[in-house]
Amino acid sequence: MSATQSSSSLSTFAALWRLKPFVRPIVGRLIGGALSALGAAVIALMIPIVLEQLVAGPLKSGVVGLILAGAFAVFALALGEAVMVWLRRWFVLTPATEVEFQMRSELYSRLQSLPVSFHDRWQSGQLLSRMMQDIGLIRRWLAFGLILLVVNILTIIIGAVLLFQWHWLLGVIFLVTGIPMWIQGYLFEKRYGTLARRSQDQAGDLATSVEESVHGIRVLKAFGRGKHALSRFSRQAETLRETELSKARAIAEIWFWLDLMPQIAFGLSLISGIWLIWQGAIELPQLFAFFAMATVLRWPIESIGFLFSFMLDARTATDRVFEIFQATNTITDPEKPVRIDEPRGELAFEGAHFRYQDAGASERDLLDGIDLVLRPGETMALVGLTGSGKTTLTTLPARLYDVTAGRVTLDGVDVRDLELSDLRRHVAMAFEDATLFSASVRENVLLGRADLDLHSEEAERVLREALDVAQAGFVDSLPEGVETIIGEEGLSLSGGQRQRLALARAVAAKPKVLVLDDPLSALDVDTEALVEEALRHVLADTTALIVAHRPSTVALADRVALLERGRITAVGTHSELLRTSAHYRHVISSLEAEEAARTGAIPIITDAVAEAHAAEVHAAEEAEAAVTEAEVDEEEEVQA
């Protein structure tokens, strides 16, 4: 059952009850706010009783002193009501913001702990709308909607009981005319709850569109697709507008009944009250007090529709937030973690399989039994054609994803037996798509060094070493040097500058195992050569797995692993594989052809040689297929 389904199957009360852990610390303040609000309501209900005595006594006798005393009593009650309203706000406003802060902090922490596979499935706009819009709505409901809903219902009940003291007929009229409102309220919940969920989901989709358009503004402008993006956004905004209009119509319908029935009750009560006075059953001051009491009750009655819709909005917001809190976290710390105090850096893949969750049952594993060992301090290049699984393989050592079968080990210990904090201190990564944060250069490069004071001498030394290795001296020419704040996602820098800072970040982490997913793809030839030379010194005592998309990157490696259709089919030095593997020659020729197209250089392996290599690969594949077919025929004969 999905999170959405399990949330929608809960009653409104049960859905909102999940807020209990966050609300528990402020329950006392909420109760204080509720009692203050109830006190204000009770004081308001006392005013009609005082008015009845005032009309029946002082006003009838004309004694000025008594009239002034009655007026002062009404003023004192009104002042008391105002004080109670102020107390309600004082009790609940600050604690409600504390709940908002706590929920937002825990939700952010949850997002950080959930696996990459979760973020693959969720749109960033949906997460953003839950973090900001939904939690803010919950806070407003706790501070305002919840208390007023409870207090107003109690006010209506107490007021309805008081109405019976003047005459039972007037009280019955008031109660009977309220029945259609409760029926409509029940129907309203069914309809409005669905619309509220749809609206908040569509708002999340709209936020995603805005975020994508802002991040991709260069692409949209370069291809002249601004109008296309606007058209798509307009369609989504129009869909949201239609949903909001449906919500407004639903609210209008409930308001129709909330406005109509009190008016009918007033009319019937007036007619009944005049008849009762004519019959001598009640007196004029009593009828006056009845209508004063009914007037006091009018706001609580009319507010029920608004507060009810507010509650349903809060319930929907709670459902959406708890879909994240209740998401399954498949990558967690072990119950009994193993520690590696001084890692040697031996990284091994033992029968490692991997497939994505949405892969069909008939599809083969993306990584189909990887067996590979990287010796301590060894640099190994990983090469293969597009789609062979290179990038996926690099995500396994740091547990961005977990293997679906087999295991990955560090110094013989399964990485799943290590605490994530320890594992990711020993294993660092640099990605081809370099992501930077809206922070200073210093904070971005030293992101992986939580053990350092960012402004200490040691941090300065580590920072400078990492920048030198990555050939990122350009930072000193930025307006404030290493203290310069990088724009959102580092888009104020060039692609090569971003990659160099991302590489510096990985180097600064001082890992025992360094995993690099083509980290030099955006660099020019000269800068790349300088970075490679510096990396040779860094990698001298560091185990490194480098995904190579360029022949020059292969030159960094002690050995090369060839990945083909999710399996390691050959491991050796570059020269050994060129001599023994036709598929390796084909891959290298492809890389050199791409490099030649990029730089204008003459490829070492010509097109004719590449075609010959491709023919060899094709022939080898046909031979393998023939052998497989022969084995199948032989097995069928044996079974026969």
Side-chain angles (χ1 to χ4, degrees), residues 556-574:
L556 282 173
D558 300 314
R559 289 191 299 160
V560 183
L562 177 63
L563 186 61
E564 184 179 1
R565 295 182 180 178
R567 295 180 179 178
I568 298 294
T569 56
V571 178
T573 64
H574 176 61

Side-chain angles (χ1 to χ4, degrees), residues 29 85-95:
R29 295 289 294 268
V85 171
W86 178 85
L87 280 175
R88 173 181 65 80
R89 291 178 176 273
W90 180 81
F91 271 118
V92 301
L93 288 182
T94 300

Side-chain angles (χ1 to χ4, degrees), residues 16 30 88 92 137-153 303-304 306-312 314:
L16 293 171
L30 287 180
R88 173 181 65 80
V92 301
L137 191 151
I138 291 170
R139 185 260 304 166
R140 293 192 298 274
W141 180 72
L142 288 173
F144 176 72
L146 172 61
I147 290 176
L148 287 188
L149 180 61
V150 173
V151 170
N152 285 4
I153 290 176
S303 69
I304 291 297
F306 160 70
L307 295 173
F308 205 48
S309 63
F310 197 177
M311 180 182 67
L312 295 177

Side-chain angles (χ1 to χ4, degrees), residues 354-371:
F354 179 81
R355 65 188 293 114
Y356 289 102
Q357 291 181 353
D358 56 356
S362 60
E363 297 181 29
R364 61 191 297 271
D365 290 351
L366 182 59
L367 298 178
D368 193 14
I370 298 292
D371 289 302

